Amino acid sequence: MERNYMKYHRSINYYETDQMGIVHHSNYIRFFEEARLMLMKQSGMDYRGLEEMGIIIPVTFVQCNYLVPLRFEDEVEIATRITKYDGIKMEVSYEIYQERAGQLCTTGKTGHCFLDRELKPIRMKRKYPDLFSKLKAMVEE
């Protein structure tokens, strides 16, 4: 795992598993969101605060690669980082590890854009230069 990833830890809940006893595929997208929200919060950009400023960050795409299944009570580490950012669009990458075995189980990416309350694109560099700089620095670390 690269050192510029933010690490988010969680346990797999029973209700997140399917009849086969493994995490249902749809839950990985939720795990990505939890980790992304934590990354933004720890970087001083809490989603609630951004929304109060009128910034909305919808998901534009999701990619998820299932390598090894996760099961009930597995302790996982989700390594998350911003990999692309141009002031209008952002891409976030994820790696999910089963902590006990240290095994990479899932990789993925999500795409996002920055919109105002009217769902129009925001040019972050012009309208929010401090936030633009913070996000740009996170990609370049």
Side-chain angles (χ1 to χ4, degrees):
M1 173 178 14
E2 294 181 36
R3 67 177 189 264
N4 60 347
Y5 278 89
M6 187 280 305
K7 298 173 184 175
Y8 172 68
H9 300 268
R10 74 180 316 278
S11 297
I12 301 301
N13 296 300
Y14 184 77
Y15 67 84
E16 294 168 322
T17 63
D18 61 18
Q19 192 172 9
M20 295 178 287
I22 60 174
V23 172
H24 188 269
H25 67 275
S26 64
N27 287 309
Y28 290 85
I29 308 311
R30 294 174 190 212
F31 301 161
F32 290 172
E33 182 171 301
E34 290 174 15
R36 183 175 64 255
L37 291 173
M38 187 58 64
L39 170 71
M40 297 294 283
K41 188 173 195 170
Q42 288 182 353
S43 301
M45 294 174 279
D46 181 64
Y47 261 59
R48 183 174 306 283
L50 293 173
E51 288 178 350
E52 288 170 0
M53 294 170 63
I55 302 170
I56 299 167
I57 310 172
V59 175
T60 58
F61 75 85
V62 175
Q63 174 188 334
C64 188
N65 304 302
Y66 308 99
L67 308 173
V68 176
L70 293 169
R71 300 178 185 284
F72 173 54
E73 292 187 333
D74 277 351
E75 297 289 329
V76 299
E77 176 181 276
I78 306 170
T80 309
R81 71 181 179 112
I82 298 174
T83 50
K84 292 182 183 176
Y85 175 70
D86 66 8
I88 297 173
K89 295 180 182 177
M90 174 175 73
E91 191 173 287
V92 182
S93 293
Y94 311 86
E95 294 178 354
I96 302 179
Y97 293 85
Q98 200 272 358
E99 286 193 281
R100 192 168 30 101
Q103 184 171 29
L104 178 62
C105 298
T106 311
T107 62
K109 291 181 182 182
T110 55
H112 308 270
C113 62
F114 293 81
L115 304 177
D116 64 18
R117 287 188 180 113
E118 286 76 43
L119 304 180
K120 293 184 178 157
I122 297 173
R123 297 202 182 278
M124 296 293 286
K125 188 173 186 176
R126 186 181 312 140
K127 190 156 183 183
Y128 301 101
D130 291 342
L131 291 175
F132 172 85
S133 297
K134 233 182 227 190
L135 288 163
K136 196 72 173 164
M138 291 172 71
V139 175
E140 294 170 355
E141 285 178 357

